């Protein structure tokens, strides 16, 4: 029966209705008020016709092919989502503008670099750690504020309600605040480097800041050419993580730490997870980026291919980690602990695969990547610390490298 209704063409039931009207007959009687009675019966007949037509249309609609129904625009859902977006509270917009979870990109390079220094020297300075953390947060705040200001100039954030410029109402105030934070943060980093007696560290940190500047600031704006991800990888990976390693490992007895396989490998992994955050942050901005000529990787390849890139990136991350463990560039403790983050990586992959076409939901993808970045970085740092604490005789050797 269902197949029969699915093959009905629009109007076929209505045609049959016209061909075979109800068999109910109405006779005109010759008594007083017969005219009004006739009118009543005609109205009843029309009512039966209209009711039957509505029932037939309902049956046809309920038995249409599933593909046809799925292809119809969900006007109510779209309107509801737009209405929901319009009614976002100011507190929520401020929370989005602050981007507090994103500041893990300041925490993780410092933590991993400090752990690598501890593995090498057995020394950890809590005071220097928190001083560097405060400086890094100031630099990241500059990066976020200035990025909003420069995107406002190009029109990329024109409809972005959580943009700091749109919330504050002044591009100038936003930029002044941004560069004030940068000046203060860089002064603190410089002072820490001088105190540690390590010039290489401040040069690496300067390179990281330069990467952030040419990423977004005119006349460079390399992010508009699709080069944001390589710059992000270099800034937060090899430059920042290695610089923090040098600063935390510098003591009165040792001012020049060697560049070990552990710190080089760790910095590459940190850069990898940080770059994944930036890549996934573009999923819900494709239309706006394309309109202003910002050719991010996702604008070039689209969301479907982008979701495949995310899958490949996650597989590559763990494959590269295992390879580093096999060649003993990383301690086995790092491999074990980082492997525990696989469920979080699986969540990121599945979420992007399922929602890459939905701008409302894919907005959360970058926050899932932040969680992966934080968990993976914490596991990596813990593995480096444990490799120093746990006696080596209790750490099993890898069989293929006796």
């Amino acid at each position: 029966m269902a197949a029969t209704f699915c093959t009905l063409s629009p109007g076929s039931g209505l045609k049959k209705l016209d061909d075979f009207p109800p068999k109910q007959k109405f006779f005109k009687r010759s008594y007083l008020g017969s005219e009004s009675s006739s009118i009543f019966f005609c109205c009843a007949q029309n009512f039966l016709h209209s009711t039957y037509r509505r029932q037939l249309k309902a049956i046809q609609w309920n038995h249409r092919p599933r593909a046809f129904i799925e292809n119809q625009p969900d006007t109510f859902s779209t309107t509801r989502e737009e209405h929901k977006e319009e009614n976002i509270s100011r507190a929520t917009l401020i929370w989005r503008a602050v981007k507090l979870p994103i500041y893990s990109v300041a925490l993780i390079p410092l933590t991993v670099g400090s752990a690598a220094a501890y593995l090498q020297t057995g020394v950890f300075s809590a005071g220097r750690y928190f001083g560097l953390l405060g400086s890094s947060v100031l630099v990241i705040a500059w990066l976020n504020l200035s990025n909003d200001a420069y995107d406002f100039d190009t029109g990329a954030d024109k409809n972005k309600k959580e943009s700091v410029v749109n919330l504050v109402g002044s591009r100038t105030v936003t930029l002044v605040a941004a560069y004030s934070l940068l000046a203060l943060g860089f002064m603190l980093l410089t002072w820490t480097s001088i105190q540690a007696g390590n010039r290489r560290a401040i040069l690496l940190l300067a390179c990281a800041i330069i990467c952030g500047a040419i990423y977004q600031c005119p006349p460079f704006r390399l992010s508009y050419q699709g080069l944001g991800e390589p710059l992000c990888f270099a800034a937060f990976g090899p430059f920042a993580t290695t610089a923090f390693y040098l600063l935390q490992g510098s003591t009165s007895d040792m001012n020049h730490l060697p560049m070990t396989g552990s710190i080089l490998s760790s910095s590459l992994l940190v850069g990898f997870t940080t770059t994944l955050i930036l890549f996934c942050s573009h999923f819900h901005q494709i239309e706006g980026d394309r309109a202003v000529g910002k050719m991010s990787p996702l604008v070039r390849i689209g969301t479907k291919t982008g979701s495949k890139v995310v899958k490949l990136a996650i597989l590559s991350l763990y494959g590269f980690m295992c390879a580093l463990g096999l060649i003993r560039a990383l301690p086995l403790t790092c491999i074990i602990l980082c492997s525990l983050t696989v469920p979080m990586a699986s969540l990121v992959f599945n979420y992007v695969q399922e929602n890459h076409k939905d701008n409302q939901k894919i907005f959360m993808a970058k926050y899932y990547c932040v969680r992966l970045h934080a968990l993976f970085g914490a596991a990596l740092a813990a593995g480096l610390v444990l490799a120093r604490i746990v006696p080596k005789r209790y750490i099993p050797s890898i069989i293929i490298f006796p």
Side-chain angles (χ1 to χ4, degrees), residues 164-352:
V164 176
V165 178
N166 290 332
L167 288 172
V168 174
S170 173
R171 171 189 177 277
T172 304
V173 171
T174 304
L175 275 181
V176 169
Y179 281 97
S180 298
L181 294 172
L182 173 63
L184 181 58
F186 190 72
M187 286 172 57
L188 291 174
L189 290 173
T190 303
W191 179 77
T192 305
S193 298
I194 294 174
Q195 187 183 43
N198 198 308
R199 296 180 180 178
R200 292 184 297 169
I202 193 60
L203 290 176
L204 288 172
L205 289 172
C207 289
I209 292 174
I210 290 172
C211 286
I214 63 177
Y215 165 81
Q216 61 187 2
C217 299
F220 305 102
R221 286 196 174 113
L222 295 185
S223 62
Y224 281 67
Q225 308 303 319
L227 299 176
E229 279 71 15
L231 290 171
C232 177
F233 175 84
F236 292 97
F239 290 152
T241 306
T242 306
F244 293 137
Y245 160 78
L246 294 174
L247 289 175
Q248 278 289 72
S250 297
T251 62
S252 57
D253 299 329
M254 182 181 295
N255 288 331
H256 299 285
L257 283 180
M259 290 294 181
T260 63
S262 296
I263 182 57
L264 294 176
S265 302
S266 299
S267 66
L268 293 177
L269 293 174
V270 170
F272 207 104
T273 55
T274 309
T275 305
L276 187 62
I277 297 173
L278 179 62
F279 183 83
C280 288
S281 69
H282 294 305
F283 269 102
H284 70 289
Q285 298 177 337
I286 290 180
E287 294 303 323
D289 288 348
R290 183 183 289 114
V292 298
K294 186 175 183 179
M295 302 304 294
S296 67
L298 282 171
V299 171
R300 297 176 185 273
I301 65 177
T303 60
K304 183 177 181 180
T305 305
S307 64
K308 296 179 181 178
V309 170
V310 171
K311 177 182 179 180
L312 179 62
I314 291 175
L315 293 175
S316 300
L317 172 66
Y318 288 94
F320 184 54
M321 178 196 70
C322 292
L324 292 173
L326 291 176
I327 64 175
R328 292 191 173 179
L330 281 178
L332 184 59
T333 48
C334 292
I335 309 303
I336 294 173
L337 292 179
C338 288
S339 297
L340 298 178
T341 65
V342 169
M344 188 68 233
S346 178
L347 176 62
V348 172
F349 162 68
N350 291 329
Y351 188 84
V352 172

